[in-house]
Amino acid sequence: MSDTMIRGLAAELEHEAAVTRRLLERVPPDRLDWQPHPKSMTLGRLTGHISELAGWGKATVEQPEVDLASAGDRRGAVADSVDDLLAGFDSNVAAFAAALAASDDAALAVRWRLCHGERVIFELPRIAALRGFVLSHIVHHRGQLSVYLRLLEVPLPQIYGPTADDPAFFGG
């Protein structure tokens, strides 16, 4: 894997996946049905979605498009247990990383589409889709997860630096 964009994206995936996993490890197994608001996802659905997003990386690297009309069950993944959640996340991240390792910078410049049947939702260079549609999407929902965990009184790990739960940093 000597291509510069691939190496950078692989490093970004490795870092963001490790941070995300630290949050997923803290999910209380007995609270997967909890939701902060009736319009919000349950904790199990949110964490299942984070895991499935990591799986979208492989598809985005290997396929020229994803057609949501033929994607099957649109309700999405729901975590049934934290152990299964972590195993699925790890498997999806590993598959994403392997797909990146087998790719090259030229493949990242190719246009990639998300569509629903004949309707094109967006078309971007593959690298932009991987960063926006996959990695930033994971980070977005990871932010939601950190709020869910805070509301459930679960101490937060470091994300991009110490949290209020790090007494060594905040003098506690």
Side-chain angles (χ1 to χ4, degrees):
M1 197 167 51
S2 63
D3 291 51
T4 303
M5 288 191 303
I6 289 286
R7 282 196 324 266
L9 197 57
E12 188 176 344
L13 170 62
E14 181 180 1
H15 172 78
E16 297 300 346
V19 172
T20 301
R21 193 177 200 290
R22 284 197 302 268
L23 275 168
L24 293 173
E25 289 170 347
R26 298 199 179 198
V27 170
D30 61 335
R31 301 304 302 268
L32 294 173
D33 60 346
W34 181 84
Q35 63 190 116
H37 186 275
K39 291 183 179 179
S40 299
M41 289 185 263
T42 65
L43 182 58
R45 173 65 188 111
L46 176 61
T47 56
H49 186 49
I50 291 169
S51 177
E52 73 188 346
L53 286 172
W56 293 2
K58 179 181 188 302
T60 304
V61 171
E62 295 180 346
Q63 299 172 18
E65 69 179 27
V66 167
D67 183 355
L68 296 175
S70 61
D73 186 355
R74 297 285 307 276
R75 291 174 295 178
V78 177
D80 294 324
S81 78
V82 175
D83 289 341
D84 289 346
L85 167 69
L86 292 171
F89 180 75
D90 291 344
S91 175
N92 286 336
V93 168
F96 184 2
L100 280 176
S103 192
D104 59 31
D105 281 1
L108 294 182
V110 172
R111 306 280 299 171
W112 185 89
R113 295 183 339 157
L114 179 67
C115 55
H116 190 276
E118 295 298 316
R119 183 172 68 92
V120 175
I121 297 168
F122 64 78
E123 183 174 347
L124 300 166
R126 181 172 278 124
I127 192 166
L130 286 166
R131 285 219 164 95
F133 177 62
V134 181
L135 289 173
S136 292
H137 199 162
I138 291 169
V139 169
H140 161 74
H141 287 299
R142 184 178 74 206
Q144 286 182 298
L145 177 57
S146 69
V147 172
Y148 278 38
L149 295 177
R150 175 64 75 212
L151 292 172
L152 290 169
E153 302 293 330
V154 175
L156 297 178
Q158 288 194 15
I159 296 175
Y160 293 118
T163 70
D165 296 311
D166 187 349
F169 185 81
F170 287 99

